[in-house]
């Protein structure tokens, strides 16, 4: 069969990650070959587990037949070849800085109003039950639109979508700063989240598209650090502006708008033009699928977020109705995606094979990310309450206690960039989840008068270490198992799962907090003691979620190797490449499968 990425008029040797084969779907690019000089970018190998060759071939054939209605052998309907990127070191550094800055901006926007909530409540005369939506509306919009925006970025161009997203962010930051009532503020926060939903998957798609090998791993490590650093930076900005700037929380919006405008300029002039990955005939959007998943997530996440403030809690009628509708629409989305790909022969919003690649281990990665994220964001939120409400540090004191987190985040990022090519991905993922759990445990053991440097400080750097170990490793793995025309949608799916984890984690922590606090009050504890008991229970819940994720990863993800490790040819797989089928039950290693694909590339040269 002819190479689907070649036409008669344009024959070129493509880098390995640009070929839709089972080799690529289950591996990262091969290590740099000194005998082949066609690709100017260094290649890497995957940290991919051992997989059955027959299953790989069957999975790829099924995915291409059922989910891609266009025959890849048809010259007029092939995917557009992707040219090899030849970025200089300076360009790589500038692009890395630009994309990481956008990540820091969107992450800090989620946290910068935390400390200002009491002031916002007073100034805008908001009810306590409505106050949570100042924060939740932003995260809700992001979580519901990531998958859809990822597909749009893959179809119409990642740089274009990134620029639109940053523009939307900037505009609604400015509008939010002028809001004079709570309802208007909540709406502008939701619309700001729409802009953030465009920037996140398009940024990761750009990284996967422009970088390969060790360069890709390093950029993903820096980009991922932006999530943890941005979240903490948002808390610091909020504390400083509330305490020392004239317009307090409104100034946070204006400051973020300035950063957004700077981001637009940087992206416009530093990020290369979009590289087409889908031909015109396949540039169609699954609008029904987009409506099902978006509305379903809105109903589901809204119900979870609002349940605690509802008149009768989880027993409230509209909460139950929204949960049923949301879950039903999400399930219907998966059935529809199968139907549109296998029966209607049209491009789906999301290939269902994303959940089954690498023997389903990609799905396990999504689940462990969900569990880890419940521990990270809930820990930051509860730590703020611990410092301000229990230890009575005030906004400035809370800000100072978060300051070492920025330093440790930068240090952790540097460490991850160094070790990500030396330590197996399996250990990075498991260690990251364990570290986040132990960070929550440090806070769970903290009392009202506990010295900051004894437990809270250790909890701070442990949760940052955990996120910085897990997140870039997971992003690299997701990019490795994605085809060029689904980089952004795969990242969007992963980010959607993480956002659901944040919402579920905060809601679960709130349930545990209220139950334990009320129980402590019934036992005659003081208000401050009861509040502390509730927070400690929430920290233990977050720790348990992270540790469960670590156990799951330790069992299922065992075998993930080292990113960028050189591999050697194996005669066993040479025979497989030439048509000899492996023995029944014979296991083929993903790294050696990578060698086969790489030899195919050399032969074409």
């Amino acid at each position: 069969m002819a190479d689907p990425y070649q036409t008669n008029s344009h024959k070129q040797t493509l880098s390995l990650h640009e070929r839709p084969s089972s080799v690529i779907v289950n591996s990262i690019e091969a290590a740099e070959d000194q005998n082949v000089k066609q690709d100017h970018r260094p290649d890497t190998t995957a940290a991919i587990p051992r997989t059955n060759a027959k299953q790989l071939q069957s999975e790829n054939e099924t995915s291409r037949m059922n989910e891609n209605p266009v025959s890849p052998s048809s010259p007029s309907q092939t995917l557009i070849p992707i040219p090899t990127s030849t970025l200089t070191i300076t360009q790589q550094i500038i692009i890395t800085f630009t994309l990481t800055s956008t990540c820091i901006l969107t992450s800090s926007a989620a946290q910068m109003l935390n400390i200002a909530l009491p002031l916002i409540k007073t100034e805008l005369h908001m009810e306590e039950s409505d106050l949570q939506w100042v924060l939740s509306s932003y995260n809700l919009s992001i979580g519901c639109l990531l998958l859809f925006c990822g597909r749009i970025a893959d179809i119409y161009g990642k740089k274009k979508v990134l620029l639109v997203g940053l523009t939307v962010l900037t505009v609604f930051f400015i509008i939010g700063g002028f809001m004079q009532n709570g309802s208007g503020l909540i709406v502008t926060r939701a619309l700001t989240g729409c802009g953030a939903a465009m920037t996140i998957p398009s940024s990761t798609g750009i990284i996967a598209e422009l970088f390969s090998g060790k360069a890709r791993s390093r950029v993903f490590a820096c980009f991922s650090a932006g999530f943890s650093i941005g979240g903490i930076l948002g808390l610091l900005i909020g504390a400083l502006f509330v305490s020392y700037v004239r317009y307090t929380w409104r100034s946070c919006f204006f400051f973020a708008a300035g950063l957004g405008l700077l981001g637009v300029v940087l992206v416009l002039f530093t990020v290369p033009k979009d590289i087409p990955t889908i031909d015109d005939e396949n540039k169609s959007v699954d609008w029904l699928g987009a409506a099902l998943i978006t509305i379903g997530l809105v109903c589901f996440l809204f119900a979870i977020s609002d349940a605690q403030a509802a008149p009768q809690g989880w027993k409230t009628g509209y909460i139950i109705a929204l949960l049923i509708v949301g879950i039903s629409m999400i399930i219907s989305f998966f059935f529809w995606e199968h139907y549109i790909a296998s029966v209607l022969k049209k491009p789906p919003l999301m290939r269902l094979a994303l959940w089954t690649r690498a023997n389903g281990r990609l799905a396990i990665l999504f689940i462990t990310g969900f569990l880890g994220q419940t521990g990270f964001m809930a820990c930051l939120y509860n730590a703020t309450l611990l410092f301000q409400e229990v230890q009575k540090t005030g906004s400035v004191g809370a800000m100072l206690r978060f300051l070492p987190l920025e330093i440790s985040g930068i240090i952790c990022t540097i460490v991850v960039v160094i070790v990500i090519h030396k330590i197996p991905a399996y250990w990075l993922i498991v260690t990251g989840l364990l570290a986040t759990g132990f960070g929550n445990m440090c806070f769970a053991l903290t009392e009202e008068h506990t010295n900051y440097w004894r437990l809270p400080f250790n909890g701070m750097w442990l949760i940052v270490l955990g996120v910085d170990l897990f997140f870039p490793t997971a992003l690299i793995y997701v990019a490795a198992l994605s085809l060029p025309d689904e980089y952004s949608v795969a990242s969007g799916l992963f980010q959607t799962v993480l956002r659901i984890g944040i919402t579920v984690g905060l809601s679960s922590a709130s349930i545990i907090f209220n139950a334990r606090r009320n129980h402590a009050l019934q036992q005659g504890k003081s208000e401050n003691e009861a509040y502390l008991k509730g927070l400690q229970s929430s920290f233990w819940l977050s720790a348990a979620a992270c540790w469960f994720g670590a156990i799951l990863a330790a069992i299922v993800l065992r075998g993930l190797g080292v990113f960028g490790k050189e591999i050697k040819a194996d005669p066993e797989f040479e025979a497989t490449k030439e048509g000899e089928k492996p023995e029944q039950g014979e296991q083929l290693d993903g790294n050696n499968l990578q060698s086969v694909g790489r030899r195919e590339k050399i032969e074409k040269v």
Side-chain angles (χ1 to χ4, degrees), residues 309-332:
Q312 297 178 342
W314 290 93
K315 297 179 181 180
T316 307
Y318 74 86
I319 295 295
I320 297 174
L322 287 174
L323 281 175
I324 294 174
V325 171
I327 294 174
S328 299
M329 295 190 76
I330 292 173
I331 294 174
S332 299

Side-chain angles (χ1 to χ4, degrees), residues 318-371:
Y318 74 86
I319 295 295
I320 297 174
L322 287 174
L323 281 175
I324 294 174
V325 171
I327 294 174
S328 299
M329 295 190 76
I330 292 173
I331 294 174
S332 299
F333 166 75
F334 283 92
F335 281 105
W336 169 254
E337 293 303 283
H338 174 73
Y339 178 79
I340 192 176
S342 60
V343 178
L344 299 182
K345 303 299 182 182
K346 294 181 179 180
L349 184 70
M350 175 196 70
R351 291 188 176 104
L352 296 182
L354 282 171
W355 292 90
T356 59
R357 288 178 187 165
N359 291 330
R361 293 183 181 182
L362 186 57
I364 297 300
L365 188 68
F366 292 158
I367 296 172
T368 55
F370 168 90
L371 294 170

Side-chain angles (χ1 to χ4, degrees), residues 101-378:
S101 298
T102 64
C103 179
I104 292 174
L105 175 62
T106 57
S107 183
S108 62
Q111 301 293 327
M112 65 184 182
L113 296 183
N114 276 13
I115 293 178
L117 287 179
L119 185 61
I120 293 174
K121 175 185 175 182
T122 302
E123 187 173 332
L124 300 183
H125 309 289
M126 295 183 65
E127 297 292 335
E128 186 73 34
S129 59
D130 296 332
L131 198 61
Q132 64 163 327
W133 286 106
V134 174
L135 303 178
S136 300
S137 58
Y138 178 80
N139 289 316
L140 182 65
S141 296
I142 296 177
C144 296
L145 292 173
L146 278 169
L147 188 58
F148 173 67
C149 291
R151 176 60 179 168
I152 294 297
D154 282 328
I155 293 177
Y156 297 108
K158 301 169 182 65
K159 180 179 179 179
K160 294 185 184 72
V161 174
L162 178 57
L163 285 171
V164 172
L166 287 172
T167 302
V168 172
L169 268 174
T170 303
V171 169
F172 286 103
F173 275 142
I174 296 173
I175 295 175
F178 289 102
M179 285 294 105
Q180 299 299 320
N181 59 78
S183 299
L185 180 61
I186 292 172
V187 170
T188 54
R189 288 285 287 168
L191 294 173
T192 305
C194 295
M198 298 180 198
T199 65
I200 297 172
S202 55
S203 295
T204 53
I206 289 172
I207 294 172
E209 194 171 74
L210 295 180
F211 297 89
S212 68
K214 292 183 178 180
R216 176 189 283 183
S217 301
R218 294 190 181 105
V219 177
F220 269 130
C222 294
F223 180 81
S224 303
F227 283 97
S228 56
I229 294 175
I232 302 156
L233 183 63
L235 293 173
L236 298 179
I237 291 174
L240 288 173
F241 279 58
V242 167
S243 302
Y244 299 110
V245 179
R246 178 181 178 185
Y247 295 106
T248 61
W249 61 270
R250 298 181 187 274
S251 300
C252 295
F253 283 113
F254 300 141
F255 179 74
L259 294 180
L261 183 60
L262 177 62
V264 171
V265 175
L266 287 174
V267 171
L268 192 61
F269 291 103
T270 64
V271 177
K273 293 194 302 182
D274 289 315
I275 301 173
T277 56
I278 303 177
D279 63 6
D280 292 335
E281 295 183 11
N282 281 323
K283 285 186 177 181
S284 61
V285 180
D286 175 17
W287 292 107
L288 180 55
L292 285 172
I293 191 63
T294 302
I295 298 174
L297 286 173
V298 167
C299 295
F300 178 74
L301 296 178
F302 179 89
I304 291 178
S305 300
D306 197 53
Q308 291 299 302
Q312 297 178 342
W314 290 93
K315 297 179 181 180
T316 307
Y318 74 86
I319 295 295
I320 297 174
L322 287 174
L323 281 175
I324 294 174
V325 171
I327 294 174
S328 299
M329 295 190 76
I330 292 173
I331 294 174
S332 299
F333 166 75
F334 283 92
F335 281 105
W336 169 254
E337 293 303 283
H338 174 73
Y339 178 79
I340 192 176
S342 60
V343 178
L344 299 182
K345 303 299 182 182
K346 294 181 179 180
L349 184 70
M350 175 196 70
R351 291 188 176 104
L352 296 182
L354 282 171
W355 292 90
T356 59
R357 288 178 187 165
N359 291 330
R361 293 183 181 182
L362 186 57
I364 297 300
L365 188 68
F366 292 158
I367 296 172
T368 55
F370 168 90
L371 294 170
Q373 201 69 358
T374 62
F376 175 66
M377 296 305 296

Side-chain angles (χ1 to χ4, degrees), residues 414-602:
I414 296 173
V415 171
V416 170
V417 169
I418 294 173
V419 305
I420 199 167
H421 305 295
K422 300 178 181 179
I423 300 177
Y426 169 79
W427 290 110
L428 293 176
I429 291 173
V430 173
T431 303
L433 291 167
L434 288 174
T436 306
F438 283 120
N440 276 277
M441 184 185 74
C442 289
F443 282 106
L445 297 174
T446 300
E447 300 291 339
E448 181 179 355
H449 301 292
T450 300
N451 185 279
Y452 171 75
W453 300 103
R454 181 186 172 192
L455 285 174
F457 171 76
N458 290 307
M460 289 287 189
W461 71 262
L462 277 170
I463 62 171
V464 171
L465 173 65
V467 172
D468 284 349
L469 285 177
F470 175 84
F471 200 67
T473 307
L475 277 179
I476 294 168
Y477 193 59
V478 170
L481 297 179
S482 306
L483 299 176
D485 64 334
E486 62 179 10
Y487 282 147
S488 294
V489 76
S491 170
L493 174 60
F494 180 59
Q495 299 282 351
T496 298
V497 173
L498 297 188
R499 294 288 170 173
I500 296 174
I502 293 174
T503 304
V504 172
L506 290 173
S507 178
S508 302
S510 179
I511 294 173
I512 294 296
F513 167 80
N514 288 324
R516 185 68 181 90
R517 176 172 171 268
N518 293 334
H519 180 70
L521 288 173
Q522 292 174 1
Q523 290 180 329
K525 302 288 186 181
S526 67
E527 178 63 32
N528 204 49
E529 288 178 320
Y531 201 95
L532 175 62
K533 294 296 182 183
L535 288 177
Q536 288 175 332
S537 298
S538 297
F539 284 124
W540 281 120
L541 176 67
S542 298
C546 294
W547 289 335
F548 178 71
I551 294 172
L552 189 63
I555 296 173
V556 182
L557 300 182
R558 187 176 182 84
L560 298 188
V562 179
F563 290 109
K565 183 177 179 182
E566 186 77 32
I567 51 176
K568 305 297 182 183
D570 191 326
E572 173 186 355
F573 302 102
E574 189 68 44
T576 302
K577 185 200 74 168
E578 292 174 357
E580 298 180 15
K581 295 184 179 180
E583 296 291 331
Q584 180 69 26
E586 184 178 2
Q587 297 293 313
L588 300 184
D589 184 71
N591 287 340
N592 287 319
L593 282 172
Q594 180 69 41
S595 297
V596 174
R598 188 158 167 262
R599 285 193 293 273
E600 290 177 346
K601 175 184 175 183
I602 294 173

